[in-house]
Amino acid sequence: MTRLRGGATAAVRTGLAVFAAMALVTGCEGLEEGASPTGSGAAAPAQDGRAVSPLKNPDGTKPGLAPLTSETDEAAGRKLIETLRTKGRGPKAGYDRDEFGYAWMDTADGVPLARNGCDTRNDLLQRDGQSLRFRSGSDCVVIAMTLHDPYTGTTIEWRKQKATEVQIDHVVPLSYSWQMGASRWSEDKREQLANDPLNLIPAEGRANSSKGDSGPASWLPPNKQIRCAYAVRFTQVALKYELAVTAPDRQMMLEQCGG
């Protein structure tokens, strides 16, 4: 887990304890920003047997985002969400993407996959993509792959020539985090959030662009089957980085897991 500066609040400590307990109970199995319509996504529903439940993927290094389908898992998700602190959004003044480091840096210390010689974006394409093809002479730069997109439930045959058909979503948007307290963080901690695989999911570009910096109260993945899992992942990131969420966001996340 990333080492964060400052003492954790009681609520955060409780949430992290719940988070760790759930990981033990459930086990450990298993792009560039900008809008562009998806022209090569297949109409068939995504069928990715590798996708892992967020409850079984506490560090974000395993692929995909599998639905939470059992009542037991939904109850575990609600219990985790209930530990979140709430507050209103602060001002967006001063926010800039560069405040979180340059895009997809490989040098954000304290997160998985850092300093492995491959930038964050390509790390995530390799984590979630299948049938990977690499640029000639490289074992890093992905130029083609099949992506089972959890947000839309579709399968995308992606080629680098149309790069923005797949974008890397920050589950907790950077602007959202800025308004919820990241404006007061150290540069190192902001770089960690921006490059932490726990907070990153490759998804259809059009769906990601529609999200913007929305929280769950105003944006959820179009694929309804994945919404509880998305809420749990949003919660995991917020707890790890000691972020509050808005009260409407917390309530919406609870509702997605049957609360």
Side-chain angles (χ1 to χ4, degrees):
M1 176 174 290
T2 306
R3 290 186 174 85
L4 304 180
R5 300 180 182 180
T9 64
V12 170
R13 288 195 298 270
T14 300
L16 293 175
V18 171
F19 188 3
M22 288 175 188
L24 291 174
V25 170
T26 56
C28 296
E29 304 171 5
L31 295 178
E32 297 84 3
E33 298 179 1
S36 175
T38 299
S40 56
Q47 300 291 333
D48 185 359
R50 304 180 314 132
V52 178
S53 160
L55 295 173
K56 298 178 181 179
N57 189 16
D59 65 359
T61 57
K62 297 181 177 65
L65 187 68
L68 274 60
T69 56
S70 72
E71 291 184 1
T72 299
D73 281 354
E74 288 186 348
R78 291 194 302 272
K79 189 173 183 180
L80 193 65
I81 295 165
E82 286 167 354
T83 67
L84 288 168
R85 294 181 298 115
T86 62
K87 70 174 188 177
R89 282 207 194 199
K92 193 174 178 178
Y95 169 74
D96 188 279
R97 174 62 177 84
D98 289 344
E99 294 290 338
F100 293 78
Y102 62 86
W104 314 132
M105 62 195 305
D106 185 38
T107 55
D109 291 327
V111 294
L113 310 181
R115 296 186 183 276
N116 65 355
C118 191
D119 63 85
T120 302
R121 179 178 179 276
N122 280 291
D123 281 336
L124 271 293
L125 297 181
Q126 291 182 48
R127 184 195 70 182
D128 288 12
Q130 293 181 305
S131 302
L132 300 171
R133 289 175 51 201
F134 295 89
R135 187 173 66 192
S136 178
S138 173
D139 60 0
C140 169
V141 180
V142 179
I143 61 171
M145 66 172 184
T146 299
L147 178 72
H148 302 291
D149 172 29
Y151 285 3
T152 62
T154 59
T155 298
I156 302 172
E157 298 298 336
W158 178 83
R159 300 293 181 268
K160 192 172 177 63
Q161 292 92 325
K162 296 183 178 180
T164 55
E165 287 184 354
V166 168
Q167 298 176 12
I168 308 297
D169 177 47
H170 287 96
V171 178
V172 175
L174 302 184
S175 174
Y176 183 100
S177 74
W178 182 266
Q179 295 171 73
M180 301 304 287
S183 60
R184 299 185 295 276
W185 292 357
S186 68
E187 182 178 355
D188 286 347
K189 186 174 175 181
R190 288 196 292 266
E191 290 175 354
Q192 289 167 10
L193 177 68
N195 294 278
D196 191 337
L198 185 67
N199 193 34
L200 296 170
I201 295 179
E204 186 212 59
R206 183 166 48 191
N208 182 55
S209 295
S210 72
K211 173 180 173 177
D213 67 352
S214 299
S218 51
W219 188 91
L220 289 166
N223 179 12
K224 293 182 180 180
Q225 293 182 340
I226 209 70
R227 288 179 176 179
C228 178
Y230 176 81
V232 169
R233 176 56 59 82
F234 198 103
T235 299
Q236 290 172 323
V237 176
L239 289 174
K240 180 174 180 178
Y241 287 89
E242 302 180 27
L243 281 167
V245 301
T246 69
D249 285 336
R250 183 175 179 269
Q251 181 56 40
M252 182 61 74
M253 288 191 285
L254 286 169
E255 291 175 7
Q256 303 317 303
C257 294

